[in-house]
Amino acid sequence: EVQLVESGGSLVQPGGSLKLSCVASGFTFSNYWMDWVRQTPGKSLEWIGEINTDGSKTNYAPSIKDRFTISRDNAKSTLYLQMSNVKSDDTAIYYCEGMGFAYWGQGTLVTVSS
Amino acid sequence: DVVLTQTPSILSATIGQSVSISCRSSQSLLDSDGNTYLYWFLQRPGQSPQRLIYLVSNLGSGVPNRFSGSGSGTDFTLKISGVEAEDLGVYYCMQATHAPYTFGAGTKLELK
């Protein structure tokens, strides 16, 4: 069974940093591009970015570029999202997804507030 | 960025009724590789999004065949042939042809 489990969400102050993790199981993680998507309270979904299979290529949404970094550790089947200089607009549930958006994690909540 | 406009924003239906949701793109979603990266998702209350349709018209694994997708270029449609109670929630279209990938604002399907 394919599973994606996010963790690391918490309350963080504006300007602070946070690192999210997504542990994958049930499929060959190293064979698939992976994405992060977020959902702000009561609003639609926003694609954050993606990473290729070996971690050598990433693409980001303009809204988070230069503040967020996506990386992966294929040996640990884990996807990461390093968030820095966070703003109140970054408050959201963060989902990892894979295999062509076929599988999503349960999400982890990030709240940016002083 | 590509803008996806979904209509209607709210859809009221009775069980067994057939309904359609429209998704219009601000530019063609036909990729240079010949594929059209248009997806449909359902998000039930309190759950993560679930992929229903990929590449315009391909049914996701385990998705009931009362769901169907169609369209090309800039106009796409999701049809539910006989709404069931488990279909209630918010439907989103998404494009992954042009970065940054973008989602529609959503269509809430509720019981009439």
Side-chain angles (χ1 to χ4, degrees):
Chain A
E1 178 192 8
V2 172
Q3 278 198 314
L4 297 170
V5 180
E6 301 96 338
S7 62
S10 68
L11 174 65
V12 58
Q13 292 188 338
S17 298
L18 197 63
K19 188 171 187 176
L20 308 183
S21 300
C22 168
V23 177
S25 60
F27 68 104
T28 305
F29 178 75
S30 58
N31 285 354
Y32 293 92
W33 287 62
M34 298 292 294
D35 296 70
W36 285 97
V37 174
R38 69 185 179 184
Q39 185 167 34
T40 50
K43 293 190 178 179
S44 186
L45 299 156
E46 181 186 13
W47 177 80
I48 294 174
E50 64 183 356
I51 187 168
N52 70 344
T53 55
D54 66 5
S56 61
K57 181 177 173 60
T58 51
N59 295 307
Y60 297 99
S63 61
I64 58 86
K65 198 173 182 180
D66 299 328
R67 297 190 300 120
F68 291 7
T69 302
I70 298 174
S71 61
R72 66 192 297 164
D73 184 336
N74 286 341
K76 295 182 178 180
S77 295
T78 302
L79 176 72
Y80 301 101
L81 178 65
Q82 176 68 53
M83 308 169 63
S84 60
N85 191 23
V86 296
K87 308 173 183 179
S88 57
D89 288 350
D90 296 323
T91 294
I93 297 173
Y94 286 75
Y95 297 100
C96 65
E97 72 72 35
M99 299 180 72
F101 301 94
Y103 295 97
W104 296 61
Q106 84 289 350
T108 188
L109 177 63
V110 173
T111 303
V112 181
S113 176
S114 55
Chain B
D1 298 1
V2 173
V3 176
L4 297 180
T5 303
Q6 279 186 241
T7 54
S9 55
I10 299 175
L11 188 52
S12 296
T14 57
I15 300 300
Q17 182 180 353
S18 292
V19 298
S20 293
I21 300 170
S22 171
C23 177
R24 290 189 171 175
S25 174
S26 60
Q27 57 184 279
S28 175
L29 300 183
L30 177 62
D31 193 54
S32 56
D33 66 4
N35 289 316
T36 299
Y37 294 93
L38 189 283
Y39 301 78
W40 289 97
F41 299 89
L42 165 61
Q43 187 172 31
R44 298 183 177 94
Q47 295 187 15
S48 304
Q50 171 196 1
R51 191 186 73 174
L52 300 174
I53 300 287
Y54 63 98
L55 298 180
V56 179
S57 58
N58 294 274
L59 207 59
S61 176
V63 176
N65 59 13
R66 62 180 178 274
F67 291 94
S68 61
S70 63
S72 63
T74 60
D75 288 348
F76 304 93
T77 302
L78 175 72
K79 182 177 181 180
I80 310 173
S81 299
V83 169
E84 298 192 7
E86 65 180 18
D87 301 337
L88 303 183
V90 182
Y91 290 80
Y92 297 96
C93 58
M94 190 205 85
Q95 67 82 23
T97 298
H98 305 287
Y101 308 151
T102 50
F103 290 84
T107 295
K108 184 177 182 180
L109 178 61
E110 57 184 29
L111 277 180
K112 187 180 294 183

